[in-house]
Amino acid sequence: MQIGIDSRAAIWYRGTGIGTYTYQLIRNIYLIDKKNEYHFFLPNEKFQGTDPLNSGVFQSISQTKDKFWETVEENHIHPEGMDLYHVPQNGLGLPKEKTCPWVVTIHDIIPYVLPETVGPAYLEIFKKQMPGIIEKADHIITVSNHSKKDLVEQLHADEKKISVIYEAPESTYKPIQKQIAKARVANKYGIEGPFILYLGGFSPRKNLQGLIDAFMKVNQELSMPHKLVIFGRHSPNYQNISAYVEKQGFGEQVLFPGFAPMQDLIFLYNAASLFVYPSLYEGFGLPPLEALACGTPTVVSNISSLPEVVGDGAILIDPYSRDSLAEGIYQGLTDIPYQEQLVKKGLKRAEAFSWTKTAAQTIKIYQQLCEKR
């Protein structure tokens, strides 16, 4: 079979949920499927170093990342000669003409659930295109049972053509010596002493003001005060959060080091005393699973997909309750026997997910659709 995959996000959005999903999907498909021929539709940039994808079959696209979502309707890929075509970035950017079966991966429907938390351009294109994407797709992959439920209940998608295929932590995430991790973080970012870690962006749905308030309440009660370190690119929403921190006088205790490259994340997770992710909505939620894979005690919200992802490997809190969040942070930092138990459960939970599984389950869907033709 000749299978085409829109792979632009693997380069342009690497480090985000959609970018990591696309990269690991095509990488693992390429590694395990020697029967079918894959065409990865990519921008002119190539993967770096010795990545096995560098020897794959590419179809280069003259397009830039700038304003990708705003221009995706005009920047269609034309997958002529394909037996099947897959668009992993929520189905946005499907071809104008349908010449083969279409598979789309819809990670979440945040523009419908929390429209106030996404940018206006993305909101407009998502709401305009999503009903048609769901209707035209021959099969929909989504990344959690919670997202599947949203698709069925809110957008009336046909449950029979939806498959849940989980994402996974990358193999680089694992426990390493704490002292090595702490030394790396101190040398590069100047962060010394115990700290609580958050990473995952500044969108209002990430609930960072709630996290900051809960942290400040807890920090006064700890025998050894911590810092709260919030990593993420300084987007427009960052200005609101940093202004709030300054107004409250929390500037010395809450740090904003900016964007952390992927190669640093293993050190950040391992150096942290606790990872906290109080999001109001996630289609999957990779950062908590990455933290579990590193053996880091983790606190997450008890809503959307997050309980499904972390299982019994993390402390679950109500993100709408500052008291609940504060109690979860306090327990994760002070109850040492429970913390040790949590680390063991978290490592076991993370082992249940793998990108090899994700790729194999996806290939099976490709084969089933092509056999029906």
Side-chain angles (χ1 to χ4, degrees):
M1 294 186 297
Q2 303 288 317
I3 298 172
I5 303 178
D6 182 346
S7 306
R8 291 174 285 185
I11 288 181
W12 287 338
Y13 292 96
R14 186 82 168 101
T16 68
I18 288 177
T20 297
Y21 170 85
T22 305
Y23 174 81
Q24 288 295 344
L25 177 69
I26 65 178
R27 181 177 186 274
N28 282 274
I29 280 176
Y30 181 77
L31 289 172
I32 69 175
D33 189 358
K34 307 303 180 184
K35 180 180 177 182
N36 300 302
E37 183 169 317
Y38 289 88
H39 297 254
F40 304 124
F41 292 85
L42 284 158
N44 290 323
E45 302 107 304
K46 289 288 188 288
F47 290 102
Q48 299 299 312
T50 58
D51 194 296
L53 288 177
N54 281 323
S55 58
V57 178
F58 295 98
Q59 304 245 354
S60 188
I61 302 160
S62 296
Q63 184 185 349
T64 64
K65 177 182 177 180
D66 294 340
K67 297 188 176 180
F68 173 65
W69 297 115
E70 292 91 331
T71 60
V72 71
E73 284 186 284
E74 291 78 37
N75 286 287
H76 294 283
I77 293 170
H78 305 286
E80 289 89 355
M82 298 296 106
D83 296 306
L84 181 141
Y85 186 58
H86 184 181
V87 176
Q89 65 270 0
N90 290 331
L92 296 171
L94 283 169
K96 289 186 177 180
E97 295 183 7
K98 189 173 184 180
T99 58
C100 64
W102 286 347
V103 175
V104 300
T105 300
I106 301 176
H107 299 258
D108 56 62
I109 57 166
I110 292 168
Y112 284 87
V113 179
L114 293 170
E116 69 277 10
T117 69
V118 299
Y122 183 66
L123 177 66
E124 180 181 358
I125 190 172
F126 194 98
K127 287 204 163 185
K128 178 181 178 182
Q129 290 202 15
M130 193 50 60
I133 289 168
I134 288 172
E135 181 183 351
K136 295 172 186 176
D138 295 273
H139 202 85
I140 297 168
I141 295 170
T142 194
V143 294
S144 66
N145 285 300
H146 185 272
S147 283
K148 178 179 179 179
K149 181 172 174 283
D150 280 350
L151 285 165
V152 172
E153 291 183 354
Q154 299 207 35
L155 291 172
H156 311 295
D158 182 357
E159 188 172 2
K160 294 177 182 177
K161 71 174 187 179
I162 304 175
S163 294
V164 175
I165 301 179
Y166 289 129
E167 299 177 10
E170 298 186 272
S171 58
T172 53
Y173 295 112
K174 57 189 176 183
I176 60 174
Q177 289 186 23
K178 295 288 184 184
Q179 290 309 115
I180 292 175
K182 289 177 181 179
R184 172 71 173 261
V185 171
N187 290 337
K188 181 162 184 179
Y189 296 101
I191 301 168
E192 297 184 349
F195 67 92
I196 296 167
L197 176 67
Y198 164 84
L199 53 88
F202 288 89
S203 168
R205 72 182 168 88
K206 300 297 186 176
N207 192 26
L208 292 183
Q209 187 171 320
L211 170 58
I212 291 163
D213 288 345
F215 162 74
M216 293 306 301
K217 178 180 179 181
V218 169
N219 215 28
Q220 299 170 9
E221 303 173 13
L222 297 174
S223 58
M224 182 179 290
H226 285 57
K227 288 184 171 63
L228 174 61
V229 183
I230 297 176
F231 275 90
R233 200 179 303 279
H234 288 176
S235 65
N237 288 320
Y238 155 76
Q239 303 297 335
N240 297 329
I241 296 298
S242 62
Y244 177 75
V245 167
E246 290 303 317
K247 182 180 179 182
Q248 300 297 322
F250 300 158
E252 292 185 3
Q253 295 161 288
V254 181
L255 308 179
F256 300 99
F259 175 77
M262 287 193 64
Q263 61 266 27
D264 287 352
L265 299 188
I266 183 174
F267 299 100
L268 292 170
Y269 285 128
N270 275 277
S273 301
L274 190 72
F275 180 74
V276 187
Y277 201 75
S279 176
L280 303 179
Y281 182 91
E282 296 293 325
F284 184 79
L286 269 175
L289 201 54
E290 293 167 352
L292 297 189
C294 290
T296 304
T298 297
V299 175
V300 299
S301 300
N302 64 0
I303 57 175
S304 71
S305 64
L306 291 168
E308 180 183 346
V309 171
V310 301
D312 64 352
I315 298 171
L316 298 177
I317 54 88
D318 176 1
Y320 290 99
S321 167
R322 307 287 165 88
D323 289 341
S324 175
L325 180 49
E327 288 167 9
I329 293 171
Y330 187 80
Q331 183 182 24
L333 290 174
T334 62
D335 189 339
I336 303 305
Y338 179 64
Q339 186 185 98
E340 292 172 351
Q341 187 181 49
L342 205 62
V343 168
K344 291 178 182 177
K345 289 182 177 180
L347 287 168
K348 185 177 180 181
R349 180 63 179 171
E351 288 173 358
F353 300 84
S354 82
W355 285 111
T356 302
K357 277 186 195 176
T358 303
Q361 291 169 355
T362 304
I363 292 166
K364 187 175 180 180
I365 289 170
Y366 295 163
Q367 291 171 336
Q368 290 171 344
L369 283 175
C370 288
E371 286 169 3
K372 288 180 182 178
R373 293 190 74 185

